[in-house]
Amino acid sequence: MATTVERIPAEVFPPGEFIQDELDARGWTQADLAEIMGRDSNLVSALVTGKRSVTPETARCLASAFGTSAELWMNLESAFQLSKVERNDAIARRSFLYSNAPVQAMVRRGWLRFKESDDVERLESEYMRFFRLKALSETPAFHAHAARKSSPYNAQVTDEEMAWLHRAWHLASLIDAPRMTEQRLRDAFDALRAMRESPEELRRIPSVLRDAGIRFVVVENLPKAKIDGACFRLNKTAPVVALSLRYDRIDWFWHTLMHELTHIRYGHDAVVDSEIDATDGDKPQEEQVADQEAASFLVPQDELRDFILRVKPFFSK
């Protein structure tokens, strides 16, 4: 957010006009000023007519001659020189985009179809296409998702997380899947349950979920985005599960997957941000349910409790 207030004068004059005003006020000639400053009269003439710029040394001389500060003359010179340079609107437009999205990372990954040789209009067009905006003045938003990430529940979605969610939406929109039904969802859970102990079976997960009417996508995590997975809907009948694989661990993969599928199973469509390390007392009810269902699906809790009672305390955390 900008904190400085920019003041643009209505009209900017060369320092020479102010020098002439000072001469007129004192009844001096250019020759008089040259004599006072101990400088050549041609220099004074060039300053008054704007053919020479005010240098720091000259600013000191003018300040001593007129009883002003040297900064006054340097500021007048800077303002005049800047007024002659056309304001670069393209820089401001690019700055706006970079302030609202991780543009470089998105271009590098091909999420934005943009090349260095393209103009800013192309970048703006791609920005609007990616975030599905009708105007640049709109703020990117992503509604109706439940996300599992390592940030507070009430924290605002970051620019990186917003871009990640939209990338997942674009990939999911390319997947054709039937309408999800309760029976198809039950069949998918049964198939997943049979795959738990065989890592090689993970390759079948996209097709198993697609047959159930759920679009499954993996989007590599962006720097500064701490999101592990999310579920959302392309429309009322098209649920999506997206994972980032931020942690390359099979237990993390399974728990995040089942966590998001539980959200879908129970129709948790509201925005819910969870903090992985939070205690159950700090978690929203929907997140507690998703965690409990995921844990129970992967490791039956009665078997886990029996194991703990049999071997404790001879195992590490």
Side-chain angles (χ1 to χ4, degrees):
M1 178 183 296
T3 57
T4 57
V5 178
E6 185 177 13
R7 295 179 174 85
I8 301 176
E11 189 174 359
V12 180
F13 299 97
E17 294 198 19
F18 294 94
I19 295 174
Q20 187 61 56
D21 289 341
E22 292 291 339
L23 294 178
D24 294 341
R26 290 167 172 74
W28 293 352
T29 65
Q30 294 182 14
D32 292 332
L33 180 59
E35 185 68 25
I36 292 170
M37 293 171 56
R39 307 295 290 276
D40 188 271
S41 59
N42 290 330
L43 170 64
V44 173
S45 176
L47 287 172
V48 172
T49 57
K51 295 179 180 179
R52 289 283 296 271
S53 300
V54 176
T55 64
E57 182 183 359
T58 302
R60 290 290 186 191
C61 293
L62 291 171
S64 297
F66 296 136
T68 63
S69 67
E71 289 77 13
L72 168 67
W73 300 102
M74 291 304 301
N75 290 338
L76 289 172
E77 181 64 39
S78 296
F80 177 63
Q81 294 299 333
L82 284 173
S83 70
K84 297 193 296 183
V85 180
E86 183 179 355
R87 185 182 179 92
N88 195 327
D89 183 57
I91 293 177
R93 291 160 66 182
R94 281 194 293 269
S95 175
F96 170 81
L97 299 179
Y98 275 69
S99 298
N100 287 277
V103 173
Q104 276 194 320
M106 294 167 69
V107 171
R108 188 165 53 248
R109 295 187 180 187
W111 297 3
L112 299 179
R113 299 188 292 263
F114 180 79
K115 299 179 295 184
E116 290 185 3
S117 58
D118 293 335
D119 55 28
V120 69
E121 286 80 7
R122 172 68 176 175
L123 182 58
E124 289 173 337
S125 175
E126 277 296 289
Y127 173 89
M128 292 173 61
R129 176 197 62 80
F130 183 85
F131 288 112
R132 294 173 286 147
L133 304 176
K134 295 181 179 179
L136 281 172
S137 57
E138 295 179 357
T139 301
F142 199 93
H143 304 290
H145 75 279
R148 184 172 187 254
K149 62 176 190 171
S150 56
S151 59
Y153 299 113
N154 58 355
Q156 186 176 2
V157 176
T158 66
D159 293 339
E160 288 78 12
E161 291 165 354
M162 184 67 67
W164 187 92
L165 286 166
H166 278 271
R167 175 60 175 174
W169 187 95
H170 283 289
L171 292 178
S173 66
L174 300 176
I175 300 174
D176 186 26
R179 183 188 182 96
M180 188 186 75
T181 64
E182 289 187 13
Q183 184 58 52
R184 285 172 174 162
L185 188 59
R186 282 196 296 269
D187 291 344
F189 271 69
D190 289 341
L192 292 173
R193 190 173 287 107
M195 298 162 58
R196 291 174 300 181
E197 298 181 16
S198 178
E200 293 78 12
E201 288 292 282
L202 293 181
R203 71 188 70 178
R204 294 180 49 230
I205 288 179
S207 60
V208 167
L209 294 180
R210 185 179 63 247
D211 291 342
I214 301 171
R215 292 148 178 84
F216 174 76
V217 297
V218 174
V219 179
E220 183 184 358
N221 198 54
L222 282 168
K224 298 183 181 179
K226 298 182 178 181
I227 196 165
D228 298 300
C231 71
F232 55 90
R233 295 178 186 270
L234 299 179
N235 53 57
K236 292 183 179 180
T237 62
V240 177
V241 166
L243 302 186
S244 70
L245 304 186
R246 186 160 69 101
Y247 294 100
D248 187 18
R249 287 168 25 196
I250 196 168
D251 62 323
W252 201 276
F253 169 85
W254 269 113
H255 188 76
T256 303
L257 173 65
M258 300 314 301
H259 181 102
E260 304 307 335
L261 287 175
T262 299
H263 281 311
I264 290 178
R265 182 178 184 180
Y266 291 106
H268 297 166
D269 289 336
V271 175
V272 181
D273 295 335
S274 63
E275 185 173 7
I276 293 171
D277 295 329
T279 62
D280 284 346
D282 296 328
K283 291 185 177 182
Q285 183 63 31
E286 292 179 353
E287 290 299 318
Q288 293 185 46
V289 169
D291 277 345
Q292 292 166 4
E293 291 280 339
S296 297
F297 179 89
L298 298 173
V299 181
Q301 296 303 289
D302 56 344
E303 294 182 17
L304 178 61
R305 286 191 293 270
D306 179 66
F307 169 78
I308 292 174
L309 289 173
R310 285 187 292 107
V311 301
K312 73 176 185 180
F314 303 106
F315 59 88
S316 66
K317 182 179 179 180

